[in-house]
Amino acid sequence: MNVTRYKCSALAVDDDPAILAILTGQLGGDFDVITACSAEQARAILSKRSVDIVLSDLQLPDETGLSLLDWVRRTAPRTARVLITGTARMQDAVDAINHSQVHRLVLKPWRSEDLIQTLRAISRGLLLERSHEHLLDELRKLNLELEQRVQTRTQELEHALGQLQQANAILERMAATDPLTGLANRRAIDAIARKELQRRTRLPGPIAVLWIDADHFGRVNKDYSQIAGDQVLVWLAGILQSSIRTTDSLGRVGGEEFMVLAPGTDVDGAEVLAERLRTSVEAAQTVYLGNTIRMTVSIGVAVAEASTSAGYEQLREVAAQSLKEAKESGRNRAVIRLILPPMAP
């Protein structure tokens, strides 16, 4: 389903015209920016139109930014709320999170790129949520329509069954997709691998399975938050996806674990692929609330040459053992094991 969406709207609230001008200049390229110089003016704008994101200064001339954002939470709960403050008091942060339930807390002075990345992450979440809601609404309407047609118009049965199959195909795709990263989930990547190995019995060729684990991922959740951990997983998925070939398949098989199925890949090719994945992650970075986060990955690789018969369980087990060796020997590395053919009696 194709869902078209224009720029997200952002309402900036601050009593300093210079701050509003800065926010308009920094965010105007990515967002439809509206400004207000008081809470009263912001309420008037929100009473006339919907806004995706509200950014409010803590200190406003007629009430606090926390009070305004709490009102936004109660009257427009789908609007994302961002508090901007220069005081950085712990109590302000506690009130923002526990009472007003703000989505982000931005400290003055902020870095333009950090603020833009923060709002981009918020807007992506908003658009993804609304896209999923739209899809589910369409599916509910389609199923209801199909039930009515089957009951009242038996002459349209063939057409209705075709539409029902289409809806079920959409649900099947959703069931095979990891909801966080958009990659194939464990069930889907297992099915892809088994299908590829069946094809390999007819057309023998080398094959490699790469098991990838994010090093010290638990520190991200501990040092920042689970939301930061989710952002890192989405970021890692994007890097890995951009580093594989179109003939390869990538899936998320665990919390911070990913798997690549690489048909037609021998030992030399597996070494090149694993190193490309490892160095791509090592060289990249993501930013969460102004904090730069870098990651490394450990990779275990199992390779079966064209002349070697190997089942999926064997490939997966050898890849898992290789991954264990990579992590125990220092992490941020790849260990490659070749599956040897059985010895002749």
Side-chain angles (χ1 to χ4, degrees), residues 25 50 93 138 153 172 186 216 263 276 288 290 292 294 337 341:
S50 61
E138 289 296 316
R153 300 182 182 181
E172 283 287 340
R186 178 65 175 267
H216 303 298
R276 183 167 66 246
Y288 175 76
T292 299
R294 294 180 178 275
R337 291 187 177 181

Side-chain angles (χ1 to χ4, degrees), residues 98-137:
N98 293 338
H99 183 64
S100 301
Q101 298 178 18
V102 302
H103 294 84
R104 298 288 191 277
L105 181 66
V106 177
L107 300 180
K108 295 179 179 179
W110 63 82
R111 293 175 57 200
S112 172
E113 57 269 29
D114 291 343
L115 179 61
I116 292 173
Q117 288 299 325
T118 295
L119 295 193
R120 283 175 179 170
I122 292 174
S123 65
R124 283 196 297 269
L126 290 173
L127 296 180
L128 182 61
E129 178 182 352
R130 292 169 191 177
S131 174
H132 282 179
E133 289 176 355
H134 181 75
L135 177 61
L136 290 175
D137 286 343

Side-chain angles (χ1 to χ4, degrees), residues 189-201 203-210 245 247-249 259-271 273 300-316 318-319 336-340:
I189 198 67
D190 283 352
I192 293 170
R194 296 183 191 282
K195 184 176 180 180
E196 177 59 34
L197 287 169
Q198 287 180 354
R199 187 196 66 83
R200 185 173 179 263
T201 60
L203 300 170
I207 190 169
V209 170
L210 294 79
R245 305 168 303 177
T247 54
D248 300 333
S249 299
M259 179 180 289
V260 174
L261 178 72
T265 302
D266 57 15
V267 171
D268 292 337
E271 183 176 357
L273 175 59
V301 186
V303 180
E305 297 290 2
S307 59
T308 302
S309 175
Y312 180 44
E313 286 74 14
Q314 183 182 13
L315 283 163
R316 192 169 55 185
V318 172
I336 301 173
R337 291 187 177 181
L338 179 65
I339 295 179
L340 299 176

Side-chain angles (χ1 to χ4, degrees), residues 212-230:
I212 305 166
D213 183 82
D215 296 328
H216 303 298
F217 178 76
R219 293 179 183 174
V220 176
N221 290 335
K222 179 180 178 181
D223 294 345
Y224 302 102
S225 68
Q226 187 174 351
I227 295 176
D230 288 347

Side-chain angles (χ1 to χ4, degrees), residues 1-282:
M1 181 175 295
N2 183 19
V3 179
T4 304
R5 177 72 178 180
Y6 52 86
K7 292 181 181 178
C8 281
S9 56
L11 171 60
V13 188
D14 198 295
D15 61 346
D16 187 341
I19 295 295
L20 293 178
I22 291 172
L23 288 170
T24 301
Q26 291 177 345
L27 304 179
D30 291 80
F31 300 90
D32 177 15
V33 182
I34 316 150
T35 61
C37 59
S38 67
E40 181 181 3
Q41 187 178 359
R43 290 173 189 262
I45 292 172
L46 291 168
S47 67
K48 296 177 182 178
R49 61 164 293 174
S50 61
V51 173
D52 297 307
I53 305 171
V54 174
L55 303 89
S56 176
D57 186 41
L58 177 61
Q59 302 298 332
L60 298 174
D62 46 356
E63 64 178 283
T64 68
L66 284 178
S67 175
L68 172 62
L69 293 180
D70 185 55
W71 178 83
V72 173
R73 175 183 64 83
R74 289 181 281 106
T75 58
R78 291 196 174 191
T79 298
R81 302 168 294 282
V82 178
L83 180 66
I84 302 176
T85 176
T87 62
R89 292 193 311 153
M90 179 61 71
Q91 188 58 44
D92 291 335
V94 172
D95 290 343
I97 295 171
N98 293 338
H99 183 64
S100 301
Q101 298 178 18
V102 302
H103 294 84
R104 298 288 191 277
L105 181 66
V106 177
L107 300 180
K108 295 179 179 179
W110 63 82
R111 293 175 57 200
S112 172
E113 57 269 29
D114 291 343
L115 179 61
I116 292 173
Q117 288 299 325
T118 295
L119 295 193
R120 283 175 179 170
I122 292 174
S123 65
R124 283 196 297 269
L126 290 173
L127 296 180
L128 182 61
E129 178 182 352
R130 292 169 191 177
S131 174
H132 282 179
E133 289 176 355
H134 181 75
L135 177 61
L136 290 175
D137 286 343
E138 289 296 316
L139 288 173
R140 293 189 189 101
K141 293 176 183 177
L142 179 59
N143 284 332
L144 178 60
E145 179 184 351
L146 290 174
E147 290 175 2
Q148 293 172 345
R149 286 184 178 181
V150 169
Q151 293 173 0
T152 61
R153 300 182 182 181
T154 56
Q155 65 272 25
E156 297 179 359
L157 179 61
E158 182 177 353
H159 176 64
L161 287 176
Q163 288 188 299
L164 182 59
Q165 290 171 355
Q166 181 182 7
N168 288 336
I170 295 174
L171 292 173
E172 283 287 340
R173 288 196 295 272
M174 292 177 66
T177 302
D178 175 53
L180 177 63
T181 63
L183 299 177
N185 59 19
R186 178 65 175 267
R187 169 190 172 192
I189 198 67
D190 283 352
I192 293 170
R194 296 183 191 282
K195 184 176 180 180
E196 177 59 34
L197 287 169
Q198 287 180 354
R199 187 196 66 83
R200 185 173 179 263
T201 60
R202 301 188 304 272
L203 300 170
I207 190 169
V209 170
L210 294 79
W211 201 304
I212 305 166
D213 183 82
D215 296 328
H216 303 298
F217 178 76
R219 293 179 183 174
V220 176
N221 290 335
K222 179 180 178 181
D223 294 345
Y224 302 102
S225 68
Q226 187 174 351
I227 295 176
D230 288 347
Q231 176 178 316
V232 168
L233 288 175
V234 174
W235 167 71
L236 275 176
I239 294 175
L240 296 176
Q241 185 68 65
S242 64
S243 301
I244 62 175
R245 305 168 303 177
T246 56
T247 54
D248 300 333
S249 299
L250 171 65
R252 182 184 177 201
V253 295
E256 63 271 18
E257 295 183 342
F258 302 85
M259 179 180 289
V260 174
L261 178 72
T265 302
D266 57 15
V267 171
D268 292 337
E271 183 176 357
V272 171
L273 175 59
E275 187 63 12
R276 183 167 66 246
L277 291 166
R278 187 193 67 80
T279 55
S280 295
V281 174
E282 184 181 34

